[in-house]
Amino acid sequence: MDIKRLIRTIPDHPKPGIQFRDITTLLLDPAGIRSAVTQLAEPFGGGQIQKVAGVEARGFIFGLAVAMELDVGFVPIRKPGKLPWETVGEDYELEYGTDRVEVHRDAIQAGERILLVDDLIATGGTAAAAIRVIERVGGMVDACAFVIELPDLGGRSRLEGNGRRILSICSFEGE
Amino acid sequence: MDIKRLIRTIPDHPKPGIQFRDITTLLLDPAGIRSAVTQLAEPFGGGQIQKVAGVEARGFIFGLAVAMELDVGFVPIRKPGKLPWETVGEDYELEYGTDRVEVHRDAIQAGERILLVDDLIATGGTAAAAIRVIERVGGMVDACAFVIELPDLGGRSRLEGNGRRILSICSFEGE
């Protein structure tokens, strides 16, 4: 199924010249949801990965569904101070200022192969920080899967390396 | 399956005297996830509801999986300024100060029957605000389903009325 046609483009949001890609219209379409979850999970089936991780907040939307499809656990990666148990964190840079992601230290066992899932990859800053924090607790991020890729922003090249596979199921380029 | 034993209790978090119920341990257990999603969805099958709604951030975790189980769309309810299209919002009171939830005006059609899903019901303040905002865009919240209920905090009675069904799959009372 063509997921791309289910994604709404909002011109000049949040500022002039930016075309915002809105997944909420995809989320209203049950067949579209099912197709997206299958496409995100299928390349990683057969025991290739042991847990799915997703970053707050939109990474939570597809994260659990993909974990269920692969029959593995789900690890939430959250903003500072949101996880109640012992955490490890990583700061990362935004256009203005910095942000931070945290993970429970006991959510991932040493050597576990992780699939990172998110709705969108733009510059890849958040995903790169999520990979670092997963590696700090001993996990190996074998793959990242995104619903939408904005290739003009070059995020993919920040995440590649160590044989890591980067998948997106649709892409908006030069639009 | 007994979901309750998969939930971690963290004593005196975030402050002395509070027993924090942590769903992240449940999320690591594939059979537990599957059972939780089935229990959240099953009472509402057979076309009884037309969309699932979930409140940012933890309500996103189970929301899409329950929507898939029911073969309906998923409506994200978000913090202020996070949704990119035209929104309707509702303020609600916290222990200190106020917060606000928003929904896309076009995410729900007039008269649609909605199931609100969240991980936990405590005082019910967030869920009550989510119900109000869904009703303002024309939806009817026929039911609410929570993984955990803290009945001592009385949230259920704030949500009942208009024949609305309130379901929780486990409960921590006087503990």
Side-chain angles (χ1 to χ4, degrees), chain A residues 3 6-7 45 48-49 52 74 83 118 127 144 156 164 170:
Chain A
I3 293 300
L6 295 173
I7 291 163
Q48 295 177 67
I49 70 113
V52 168
F74 175 69
L83 288 167
D118 210 346
C144 303
R156 178 181 285 262
R164 184 175 300 127
C170 72

Side-chain angles (χ1 to χ4, degrees), chain A residues 49-52 64-75 107 112, chain B residues 1 3 5-6 23-38 62 65:
Chain A
I49 70 113
Q50 293 161 295
K51 275 170 189 161
V52 168
L64 193 74
V66 173
M68 289 178 75
E69 188 82 8
L70 294 171
D71 200 27
V72 299
F74 175 69
V75 177
E112 278 187 323
Chain B
M1 174 186 267
I3 293 300
R5 66 170 182 78
L6 295 174
I23 62 155
T24 67
T25 40
L26 164 62
L27 298 175
L28 295 178
D29 187 305
I33 296 168
R34 203 172 307 279
S35 174
V37 169
T38 301
F62 283 98

Side-chain angles (χ1 to χ4, degrees), chain B residues 80-137:
Chain B
K82 296 287 191 177
L83 288 167
W85 194 245
E86 194 189 346
T87 61
V88 171
E90 278 283 333
D91 296 315
Y92 63 102
E93 294 196 5
L94 300 173
E95 193 176 359
Y96 305 100
T98 65
D99 210 340
R100 184 177 173 85
V101 287
E102 296 183 343
V103 67
H104 274 154
R105 189 181 285 281
D106 63 358
I108 292 170
Q109 307 308 309
E112 278 188 323
R113 298 184 302 280
I114 310 295
L115 168 64
L116 179 69
V117 169
D118 210 347
D119 67 331
L120 182 133
I121 175 167
T123 65
T126 308
I131 290 170
R132 290 198 304 276
V133 84
I134 291 167
E135 289 177 343
R136 280 200 38 215
V137 295

